[in-house]
Amino acid sequence: MLSLDDFEQAARRRLPRPIFGYIAGAAEDNQSLRANRDAFARYGFVPRVLVNVSARSQQFDLFGRRYDAPFGIAPMGLSALSAYRGDIVQARAARASNIPAILSGTSLIPLEDVIQAAPGTWFQAYLPGDPARIDALVERARKAGYETLVLTVDIPVSANRENNVRTGFSTPLKPSLRLAWDGLTRPRWLAGTFLRTLLAHGMPHFENSFATRGAPILSASVLRDFSARDHLSWEHVARIRRQWPGALVIKGILHPDDAALAREHGVDGIIVSNHGGRQLDGAVPPLLALPGVLDAAGDMPVMLDSGVRRGGDVLKALALGARCVFVGRPFNYAAAIGGEAGVAHAIGLLRAEVDRNMAMLGINRLDELHPGLLRRDELPGR
């Protein structure tokens, strides 16, 4: 495994078709999925030379903590289906490397277990549909010891993920002969992840969508509850801000006006994101939205996810003003292939790329990055 992309091909061979399809897929025609990668290719580096770069450091400060690399692990639902105790192994690898990790609200391991295994993990919430449930979930995260709460706000309705239908994925998974065959033809996953989980922990459930336990992952009839998220508004953010004592982050912002509203509502930071292309197909790539969002965000830390695959991508986002970036799918694949050691290896690959590229750019510190080190490609049709 020499790059983050290498993990994807290995995971394709290891994971059952529906689970790999769920991770890899995006919405509708995959326009945003492709555009997220293409956006990074629009920018070229303009390096400085003959600079003493022997004192390189990737450390940066965020929400009162110093991290050792400017990237983290994005929230990914159902990670415990692709790797045994997937949410925990990702969080533990991130803690060992001193980078941020965000636990998904659609995870299958109780948030209390994850924070106990990896203190300092952030929690990402999909807001339930009524104030009482919101209050209960926020209070649960506070009592568990989370200090950073991430509200993902780009899911007013479920996306049109035709890929999930084509690969046989649903939430919860519905028992069928095809599903059984997909599992039997991946014996390492069947024994090492699914059966091992059943024997040690019982049938996985959606554990963190509400303050109480949700539906089982394998069910013939129970539908996953999205709880009318189409009526959520900034009033709910204000309510959470009054209740939550720690750092409050909003994930899923692309429009500058929403960044300004987040600042007005006392939010501590935002993540510019189009959900990895998994929600609104055709949404602008976060890297291209970043400059406008930064102008409106004031002194709020602005982070970014979606499409980051190389150390060069990390540095391009930081040069344009992001404080740090988050990476999703590759770390999920790495956990599926090698557990915690696989995630640690993936983190090490990305960290080495960042270090190498800093040297070749002629910088020692992340705060030396600036837009002048980039040139945007304005070729016709790009």
Side-chain angles (χ1 to χ4, degrees), residues 93-341:
R95 177 172 171 79
S97 297
N98 193 28
I99 65 171
I102 311 175
L103 173 68
S104 172
T106 54
S107 48
L108 304 176
I109 299 175
L111 58 87
E112 293 83 359
D113 294 353
V114 177
I115 195 70
Q116 183 176 3
T121 302
W122 304 6
F123 177 63
Q124 173 253 338
Y126 291 111
L127 298 180
D130 63 82
R133 282 185 164 184
I134 292 174
D135 293 349
L137 179 59
V138 171
E139 180 63 12
R140 179 186 170 194
R142 186 194 67 80
K143 285 184 175 180
Y146 287 87
E147 297 177 352
T148 302
L149 178 65
V150 180
L151 307 180
T152 293
V153 296
D154 56 0
I155 51 162
V157 295
S158 300
N160 182 23
R161 298 182 189 171
E162 297 166 1
N163 174 76
N164 287 359
V165 179
R166 293 191 174 98
T167 60
F169 187 87
S170 62
T171 49
L173 288 168
K174 297 178 181 179
S176 68
L177 290 175
R178 180 57 195 258
L179 183 63
W181 176 252
D182 284 327
L184 289 171
T185 54
R186 296 293 188 272
R188 287 190 299 169
W189 172 86
L190 183 64
T193 300
F194 189 67
L195 294 179
R196 186 180 177 190
T197 299
L198 285 181
L199 290 172
H201 306 283
M203 178 63 68
H205 284 61
F206 291 100
E207 298 284 0
N208 305 314
S209 296
F210 309 108
T212 56
R213 196 179 206 194
I217 188 60
L218 191 63
S219 171
S221 59
V222 179
L223 294 177
R224 188 171 166 190
D225 186 357
F226 282 91
S227 299
R229 292 173 179 146
D230 56 355
H231 73 277
L232 294 169
S233 70
W234 288 102
E235 294 179 4
H236 297 91
V237 174
R239 182 186 185 96
I240 293 170
R241 178 70 285 179
R242 291 191 296 268
Q243 183 182 1
W244 181 253
L248 182 62
V249 176
I250 290 186
K251 176 180 179 293
I253 284 179
L254 292 170
H255 199 291
D257 290 352
D258 287 331
L261 283 168
R263 185 182 61 187
E264 292 173 11
H265 283 78
V267 172
D268 297 299
I270 57 179
I271 301 176
V272 184
S273 171
N274 66 13
H275 218 105
R278 296 168 71 85
Q279 285 302 113
L280 174 62
D281 198 26
V284 63
L287 190 72
L288 302 186
L290 180 61
V293 170
L294 281 163
D295 288 342
D299 57 0
M300 271 194 312
V302 175
M303 297 154 276
L304 177 146
D305 73 15
S306 304
V308 176
R309 294 295 181 271
R310 287 284 190 179
D313 301 336
V314 176
L315 295 178
K316 287 175 183 179
L318 269 57
L320 290 174
R323 183 71 62 88
C324 72
V325 304
F326 288 91
V327 181
R329 293 176 178 94
F331 289 129
N332 200 325
Y333 298 139
I337 297 304
E340 186 174 339

Side-chain angles (χ1 to χ4, degrees), residues 48 51-57 315 354-355 357-370 373:
R48 301 298 305 271
V51 178
N52 183 347
V53 290
S54 60
R56 298 186 304 282
S57 171
L315 295 178
V354 171
D355 176 73
N357 288 350
M358 287 177 66
M360 287 191 280
L361 273 172
I363 64 172
N364 284 290
R365 302 186 314 275
L366 299 177
D367 60 11
E368 296 177 276
L369 288 162
H370 58 85
L373 294 174

